């Protein structure tokens, strides 16, 4: 995630606003699909992110932990906000 320029078209002020409302962003959904494609169910995750990426990581960690798909051992969010 992040709010730096040039990441991709989904990384903008609207993404930050949607995330600030506690809703999943397009970026967090992309991250979820990538993780689920390469990390086997039941694995232990350590999630880290900065700014919007930390917020997206928080939302993903919460979802993964509550569904039991993955064990979330740690979450490091730098310069991030939480819903």
């Amino acid at each position: 995630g992040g709010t730096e320029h040039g990441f991709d078209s989904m990384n903008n002020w609207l993404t930050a606003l949607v995330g600030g409302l506690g809703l999943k962003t397009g970026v967090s959904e992309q991250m979820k699909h990538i993780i689920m494609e390469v990390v086997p169910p039941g694995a232990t995750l350590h999630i880290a992110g900065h700014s919007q990426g930390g917020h997206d990581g928080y939302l993903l960690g919460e979802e993964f932990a509550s569904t039991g798909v993955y064990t979330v051992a740690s979450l490091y969010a730098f310069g991030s906000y939480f819903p």
Side-chain angles (χ1 to χ4, degrees):
T3 53
E4 295 78 16
H5 297 290
F7 180 76
D8 72 19
S9 63
M10 297 186 74
N11 182 32
N12 56 34
W13 65 269
L14 183 57
T15 299
L17 177 62
V18 169
L21 295 172
L23 304 172
K24 293 179 184 152
T25 66
V27 173
S28 65
E29 286 298 303
Q30 288 176 357
M31 291 167 44
K32 175 183 171 181
H33 292 294
I34 292 168
I35 292 167
M36 294 184 80
E37 285 180 16
V38 298
V39 180
T44 299
L45 300 179
H46 298 272
I47 301 171
H50 173 260
S51 189
Q52 185 68 37
H55 182 75
D56 289 333
Y58 172 82
L59 293 175
L60 287 175
E62 182 178 54
E63 179 179 341
F64 289 151
S66 69
T67 61
V69 175
Y70 299 107
T71 299
V72 179
S74 61
L75 171 67
Y76 299 95
F78 305 92
S80 302
Y81 54 93
F82 298 95

